[in-house]
Amino acid sequence: MTKIGILGAGAWGTAVAKVIAEKGNDVLIWSHSKAVLEDVNQRHTNSRYLPDVVLPNNLQACDDINEVVNGKEYLILATPSLYLLDTAKQLLTAPSIREGETAIAVITKGFLPSPKGPRLILETLEDYLPGFYRQSLVYIAGPSHAEEVSRGKVTGLIAASESPKNSIRFRNLLKSPRLLVFSSLDVRGVQVAAAAKNVIAITFGMLDALKNRTTSSGAEDIFGDGTESLLLAAGLNEIQTLGMAMGATHPETFTSISGVGDLDVTCRSVFGRNRRFGREIIEKNILKPFAGLDDIIDRIAEIGYLPEGVVAAKHIKALGEKFKLKMPISTGLYQILNREIEPQEFLNSFLEEMQ
């Protein structure tokens, strides 16, 4: 029996914990919510994030981060990007981390802020963790939804690392007949694809909500399934453009499951929070209470769920300016979230640019 710690008891952290525990491993998951702790430990479920999913008895929850981390062979970080760095800093007190005895992987999607601007997750964590972890962390992503993985739906993931050995170790830890895991050395490309696709998915959700509507003037709606595919393809191009600018080593990363696969499922699945947020921008005018993008981020808990693409939109805007990239979809979403333009105005101008 292998001992695994998972930091973050949201839907994705819990789903991954369930898969690992079902293989006979002892899994301890960290949560600061008393309700979640009681739910997992007493009723063997996480009804807040994964309703109606029964969890194995060897999956337990704890609110002491040191207990969850110390003495584990594997540690998986699953806290949202907004809180990931603060969580990582707490690892330094654990002896098994200080000595480099625990292999670490990250399943969080996004970028992290720094005095020099937005950075990728793994390179940022390497600056805080002991030197043992440089070029040995593993990043796990792919076209997946916690709701499906926790219910045994066949899914594929990528375990990317500069350390082939650690990539294989986490691949073996996670893989099952219904969870296929593949290795990659393109750590930077996989991270960019995982973060940037959430920005495209918010825009996709807006377009999806507008697809069957008529304009305020009563004119016939011009958006259809083909328009969505046009947006998806253009979005993939932006993701690849950003990825290569940030040091991706393999162009095929963006045509693999970590690129086009993850983008497609995030845009089209009913489980996608970013797609949902985009739809609610149109259907519920969800941006109305907010003054701009920074205000949304500061009050993001008021949304009721966490669309990671909101935070990523701010970072990608800065990265686009840094590398002098043309990314009209990402830039347009930033302007929408910052209350500079309206969604219909952006989509119309985007189509005009494509001509």
Side-chain angles (χ1 to χ4, degrees), residues 32-87:
H32 53 74
S33 167
K34 291 184 179 180
V36 170
L37 291 173
E38 292 179 1
D39 211 10
V40 172
N41 293 333
Q42 298 179 16
R43 292 176 286 277
H44 304 294
T45 187
N46 188 342
S47 55
R48 178 177 177 181
Y49 295 105
L50 286 177
D52 303 320
V53 172
V54 178
L55 303 176
N57 292 343
N58 54 325
L59 196 174
Q60 293 290 304
C62 177
D63 61 359
D64 184 344
I65 194 169
N66 286 315
E67 183 177 343
V68 174
V69 173
N70 202 37
K72 303 300 186 295
E73 186 174 346
Y74 297 92
L75 181 68
I76 297 176
L77 277 60
T79 49
S81 61
L82 273 174
Y83 319 111
L84 182 61
L85 199 53
D86 288 338
T87 300

Side-chain angles (χ1 to χ4, degrees), residues 132-176:
F132 305 106
Y133 291 102
R134 192 163 297 277
Q135 297 182 319
S136 70
L137 300 176
V138 180
Y139 190 79
I140 299 168
S144 53
H145 284 298
E147 294 83 355
E148 293 186 342
V149 171
S150 64
R151 290 171 171 83
K153 304 295 184 183
V154 176
T155 300
L157 296 174
I158 294 283
S161 179
E162 294 180 75
S163 165
K165 176 183 177 180
N166 283 349
S167 171
I168 293 170
R169 289 179 69 189
F170 275 97
R171 187 182 72 191
N172 291 337
L173 178 69
L174 288 166
K175 71 178 183 179
S176 72

Side-chain angles (χ1 to χ4, degrees), residues 187-215:
V187 183
R188 302 182 76 84
V190 172
Q191 288 181 88
V192 171
K197 53 96 178 182
N198 287 329
V199 171
I200 307 302
I202 293 177
T203 311
F204 190 96
M206 292 189 298
L207 177 59
D208 194 49
L210 286 167
K211 191 168 64 173
N212 297 315
R213 283 191 171 192
T214 57
T215 64

Side-chain angles (χ1 to χ4, degrees), residues 3 14 18 51 64 77 102 115 224 237 257 265 272 321 345 351:
K3 292 184 177 182
T14 304
K18 179 177 184 286
D64 184 344
L77 277 60
T102 302
N237 183 63
I257 62 172
V265 76
E321 292 174 348
E345 179 185 354
L351 293 175

